[in-house]
Amino acid sequence: MKRTSFQYISLISFFITSLAFSVYFYQQVQIYDQKIVKSTVTDTSLPKYHFVLIGEEMNHDYWRLVGKGAKETESKYDVFVEYEGPKRSNPEEQLKLLDMAIKSKVDGIIVQALNEEFTPMINKAVSEGIPVITIDTDSKESLRTAYIGTDNYLAGQLAGKALIEDTNGKATVGIITGSFENTHHQLRVQGFRDAVAKVEGIEVVAIEESNITRVDAEEKAYTMLTENENITAFIGTSSWDGLGIVEAAKSLNKQEDLYVMAFDPLAENIDLLEKGDLDAIIEQQPYEMGYKSIEIMLDMLNGKSVREIYHTDASIIRNANLDKWKVQNGDSL
Ligand code: BGC
């Protein structure tokens, strides 16, 4: 073969090989690009549903558990849960958050209906096509589809029955309630009163509100104890009330003889129960409320039938079952 034809053949085969490689790599790049576009679209696409859950106070272990339960559904379902609320109990701020959720046209709202002022706002959401579930505290007269939470009247009755049992039906009682305006506190008080009403040896002599603060609970309990020296027992219907009552009793040197019940196993409440300063705690199921509220909302949106009321358990923790409770639940809320 002549040298020039050999050079031609080499050049042509080099050209063909390069062309084949270019075509091959071009195709690979195309496939890769398509994959990237596809995965970027799936990775950053928004969850199917955006829900808002509005609670009473973020700075509280009870609500942290409600939020935790709701947020944990995100790993199981195609949802984004925006969990919010005022830092400390503040109904006006809570209502503003509700209004904002309506304006942002979310797919569903879960809200604690603290008092009757929440009813028109819930109805506004529903009339604008946003389904609403109430949590922890219900607004029966509103257009909400369902309620999930404690049967607050029954929880009050449970507390009343425990007090009857623990005091052998003999007690002069003071009540500290979170707020006279808040529906769940009204129900707890009513349930308690109804349970003890039939027992002759039990009399409720005073009731005051703590405005959901420990300081007010202490102040009110102190005044009640000084004005009614014969008080032998207290119930606090909000989680901080027990702490305030115990402080007041301590400053009057009365903690030894006083029977005290409180709501919610906060770490501080469990501590007082262990020391014998608290005698009983009414426990609710905040985590379950949060988790199930999202499942109910999803069922509603997927056209499944849902019930109107989902009551979660309320039970009593006393020193006698504290160890067992700790094994089952960890230390506290
Ligand atoms: C109540 C909640 C309240 C929380 C903190 C719980 O006992 O059920 O409604 O927000 O305490 O005050």
Side-chain angles (χ1 to χ4, degrees):
M1 208 188 316
K2 272 194 191 157
R3 198 163 166 226
T4 40
S5 16
F6 175 75
Q7 278 173 335
Y8 268 129
I9 290 170
S10 309
L11 211 67
I12 288 169
S13 29
F14 176 73
F15 179 72
I16 291 173
T17 320
S18 316
L19 192 71
F21 268 116
S22 308
V23 169
Y24 173 76
F25 283 117
Y26 177 76
Q27 278 176 342
Q28 290 304 305
V29 168
Q30 292 288 306
I31 292 168
Y32 181 71
D33 279 355
Q34 275 167 10
K35 273 190 186 162
I36 288 212
V37 169
K38 217 170 140 194
S39 78
T40 319
V41 167
T42 18
D43 285 349
T44 58
S45 67
L46 296 170
K48 188 164 177 201
Y49 295 116
H50 175 184
F51 301 145
V52 168
L53 191 161
I54 306 163
E56 183 173 5
E57 41 185 356
M58 297 295 93
N59 217 352
H60 194 291
D61 287 338
Y62 175 92
W63 283 102
R64 268 194 271 278
L65 272 185
V66 174
K68 188 170 178 228
K71 288 296 277 181
E72 280 185 7
T73 60
E74 288 177 344
S75 60
K76 187 167 175 199
Y77 302 104
D78 198 5
V79 294
F80 168 61
V81 181
E82 197 176 334
Y83 168 56
E84 52 190 30
K87 272 210 174 87
R88 301 300 314 268
S89 183
N90 182 334
E92 281 78 46
E93 202 184 321
Q94 213 173 324
L95 278 166
K96 264 189 211 147
L97 290 170
L98 180 52
D99 197 25
M100 273 160 62
I102 298 171
K103 288 189 177 123
S104 15
K105 301 191 188 309
V106 292
D107 300 306
I109 297 175
I110 298 127
V111 65
Q112 177 210 33
L114 203 50
N115 57 45
E116 57 191 24
E117 283 178 43
F118 283 68
T119 307
M121 198 63 95
I122 290 173
N123 292 350
K124 184 178 165 206
V126 176
S127 69
E128 293 189 17
I130 305 175
V132 177
I133 291 176
T134 48
I135 189 164
D136 175 85
T137 310
D138 194 14
S139 165
K140 272 196 188 137
E141 62 286 358
S142 74
L143 296 171
R144 57 88 177 119
T145 309
Y147 165 70
I148 177 149
T150 304
D151 180 334
N152 284 298
Y153 177 79
L154 215 76
Q157 282 208 316
L158 194 71
K161 284 177 193 158
L163 178 121
I164 298 169
E165 242 174 79
D166 294 347
T167 61
N168 293 321
K170 277 192 181 38
T172 306
V173 185
I175 302 176
I176 299 284
T177 184
S179 158
F180 289 140
E181 267 82 55
N182 295 356
T183 313
H184 56 331
H185 290 297
Q186 290 169 348
L187 288 168
R188 288 173 192 177
V189 169
Q190 198 51 53
F192 179 84
R193 281 187 186 278
D194 290 352
V196 299
K198 303 158 220 133
V199 182
E200 231 179 79
I202 296 187
E203 197 193 352
V204 176
V205 290
I207 176 164
E208 290 290 349
E209 58 181 346
S210 64
N211 299 310
I212 329 278
T213 70
R214 176 187 173 152
V215 180
D216 281 20
E218 183 177 344
E219 217 175 283
K220 301 287 173 62
Y222 188 94
T223 313
M224 273 160 82
L225 277 168
T226 43
E227 283 175 358
N228 304 273
E229 286 198 353
N230 53 346
I231 287 184
T232 58
F234 264 102
I235 172 168
T237 68
S238 160
S239 11
W240 304 118
D241 296 343
L243 296 161
I245 296 164
V246 169
E247 277 312 305
K250 277 186 178 164
S251 41
L252 292 166
N253 234 333
K254 288 194 166 191
Q255 79 272 22
E256 292 285 309
D257 314 316
L258 208 60
Y259 177 90
V260 186
M261 295 182 105
F263 264 77
D264 303 320
L266 303 178
E268 296 92 326
N269 283 346
I270 289 291
D271 218 38
L272 291 181
L273 187 67
E274 230 159 8
K275 287 183 188 144
D277 291 334
L278 274 186
D279 297 88
I281 295 174
I282 298 98
E283 182 185 24
Q284 311 181 72
Q285 300 301 330
Y287 177 91
E288 189 188 343
M289 290 179 206
Y291 197 97
K292 273 205 179 157
S293 69
I294 304 298
E295 294 195 317
I296 299 166
M297 185 62 87
L298 281 170
D299 281 351
M300 276 159 61
L301 290 169
N302 292 323
K304 291 190 190 154
S305 74
V306 298
R307 301 204 306 265
E308 194 192 337
I309 304 284
Y310 293 81
H311 279 148
T312 47
D313 279 351
S315 49
I316 305 278
I317 314 168
R318 294 181 175 92
N319 214 300
N321 63 343
L322 185 57
D323 285 342
K324 193 171 157 207
W325 181 87
K326 276 186 173 180
V327 172
Q328 285 163 354
N329 297 272
D331 270 347
S332 61
L333 266 191

